[in-house]
Amino acid sequence: MTDSPQDDLILAASSPQAIGALTDDGPVAPPTSRGRDIWSQFRKHKGAMLGLGFLSFITLAVLVGPYIYTVDPQKLDIRAKDFRPIYTALWDSSAKVGWNKPLGSDQLGRDNLAQMLAGGRASMAVGWAAMLLSVLIGTAVGVLAGFFKQLDGVLMRLTDLFLALPILPLLLLAVTLFRQPLRAGFGPEGGMFILIVSIVAITSWMPTARIVRGDVLAIKEREFVLAARSIGSTPGKLIRRHILPNVLSPILVSAALGLATAIITESALSFLGVGFPSDFPTWGKMLADAVQRMERFPERVMLPGIAISLTVLSVNYLGDGLRDALDPRIRGR
Amino acid sequence: MLTYATRRTILAIPTLLFISFVIFMLLQLAPGDPMAQVPLTVPPDVKQKMREALGLGAPPLVQYWKWLVQVFWIEPQVLIDWIFGTSLAEGKLRVISWQTRSPVMDIILQRIPQTLWVVGVAYVVAILIALPIGVYSAYRQYSVFDQAGTFVTMIGFSIPPFFTGPLLIVIFSVISLETWWLPVLPSIYDTTHVVNDWQSFGFQVKQMTMPVMVLAFQITAQLSRYMRASMLDNLGQDYVRTARAKGLSEAVVVNVHVLRNSMIPVITVIALGIPAIFGGAIITETVFKVNGIGQLLLTALFANDLPMVMTLTFIFAVLIVVFNLIADILYGLLDPRIRYD
């Protein structure tokens, strides 16, 4: 109503002048986009910012690190075995340390820093791939179940069925069963990568599917979907243009949590000895190998353990911050 | 409510049958051979006869049917025999482990006490710690206590048990040997230990401390989050204001009115976690060498002991389905607003 200048004039002439405190010259700050709002809310969450920083640091380190520190992590150097990390020399001058092995070496003389970088690469790759696959399956099942009524019953029973499966025993089962054929098909490392990624994804998509289905059910009944349907949008277009963008935030949050679970599951499998082949370093396997010698070399347990824990902690904080930033009820308060 | 419970129970039976069928067919794909450990001097035709004696010659569906009969018909008879001293299962074939050639159920019964002691105690300890923490951090939201609680919970979520386990061993079994102020705890759980006096009881407590700490840390992290969220939901409700307005003391308002209502979802979460007690904590049991159910499953998997793996996994699935059902029914019973029919 008050958009045209004439209306303003009429209003100004007819109504008494508003008291000084209530008059506004205009908006104080220029309108901001949704992305900028989310980012400014996200920045207020200290833990999430720290998490984002550490996750970027560790991702960069494992991506770029092996090109800077070019020692082969699988090279056996039996003469230089059991080196302590360089900082041990600070309190123990008789410790076996060397500048060429900054974090020491293990019982076969493999360089710990190179192993940490390579192991991180494996853990992060498995984590990201499994998370992406799991979110993909979860979103697909959730959207289909929420959007198409005929599929709802079947897909949700399927989700319940998967939720009723004992996860860790089944993971162990699947790894021991399919290890041989996949190794024969894709090589020892490639086969295990495919196997671990797929079974972690297959056993972890259910929470995403449930959340997405709930949101789709609510959004489907909104007017803008009805409007889009009335101008003849096909179901595929409706889902892609109107529904998916609106369920993006729960998907992002469950993706962050999924990344944490995937990294932990991969490390747990390596720790139990059913993960990657024994000469291929991952954080979980380094930890498992070091447990027998932890009285003499506690750092070999601490380094990979701290790496796993800090990565997962930062991902969890990132997820927490994302949840707050993407929730419009919390944002702006 | 009764019709709902009956319907769910009846629905659970096909679900469990389907799960058992899926697990059985998965195991059929197993590349392992139970005769792999038999000496090479045994001729192949004898080996084939030994395989057939284990029941491996029959088609998969027949094998599955025989397993079903053994688990659902013969094992209950054995149980009845054991309780009443009858002889119903005399001479009938039970589910036999390929590793030890003894009935699977007997081995499981031998292993269950260890798991129940360690994991069960950890669960109780975790509940006792988590509930007060959750209540207090919700009551003083954003206080220092709440912030610290949130941080510790985050750590509990993030540090995997295969790191906390060795970490505790390094602290309490390695470093503590050289210092006087840390208690020295055994890093290996001695299952043959018999408790018959105060001294042996003290040792039992000592050897249980570390595995219980590892498990309780994780469970506390999850439960206290649920408790806090549920308390926060209820603290803002109108009935809380009414309770305060009519002059009830703060202790009564929080500990009676709010706590009772907040416990409803938390109790279902606790019920949902109980299968994990029986399922054992595979990783914690491995780290501290507790020979419980989880460790049994792991060794059976590595030894290709398919009947053992099959039966154990099926028992886990039964527990999960049953406790899901119990949680749903409890939810309906405790919260009169929820109507299933």
Side-chain angles (χ1 to χ4, degrees), chain B residues 193-206:
Chain B
H193 180 69
V194 183
V195 178
N196 45 18
D197 54 5
W198 282 109
Q199 205 190 346
S200 58
F201 179 73
F203 181 76
Q204 176 69 17
V205 170
K206 262 188 171 178

Side-chain angles (χ1 to χ4, degrees), chain B residues 94-114:
Chain B
R94 303 173 64 187
V95 188
I96 300 292
S97 155
W98 287 350
Q99 285 177 96
T100 60
R101 306 285 195 268
S102 60
V104 165
M105 286 297 177
D106 290 359
I107 304 175
I108 295 177
L109 279 182
Q110 289 165 9
R111 298 299 188 92
I112 275 187
Q114 283 86 282

Side-chain angles (χ1 to χ4, degrees), chain A residues 161 164-166 169 172-173 176-178 264 267-268 271-272 274 287 291 294-295 301-302 305-306 308-309 312-313 316-317 320, chain B residues 15 18-19 26-27 29-31 151 154 158-159 162-163 166-167 169-170 174 283 286-287 297-298 301-302 309 313 316 320-321:
Chain A
L161 194 70
L165 291 176
L172 291 170
L173 200 67
T176 31
L177 295 189
F178 300 116
I264 285 201
S267 306
F271 182 80
L272 292 174
V274 292
L287 217 168
V291 166
M294 66 189 163
E295 301 94 26
V301 173
M302 302 299 284
I306 290 176
I308 297 171
S309 309
V312 175
L313 187 66
N316 274 337
Y317 262 113
D320 212 35
Chain B
T15 313
F18 184 74
I19 290 178
L26 259 175
L27 286 171
L29 300 170
F151 182 64
M154 263 320 194
S158 307
I159 302 192
F162 51 85
F163 181 44
L167 195 65
I169 293 180
V170 166
V174 182
I283 290 170
T286 316
V287 170
L297 177 74
L298 203 65
L301 264 172
F302 289 150
V309 175
T313 324
F316 294 158
I320 294 178
V321 170

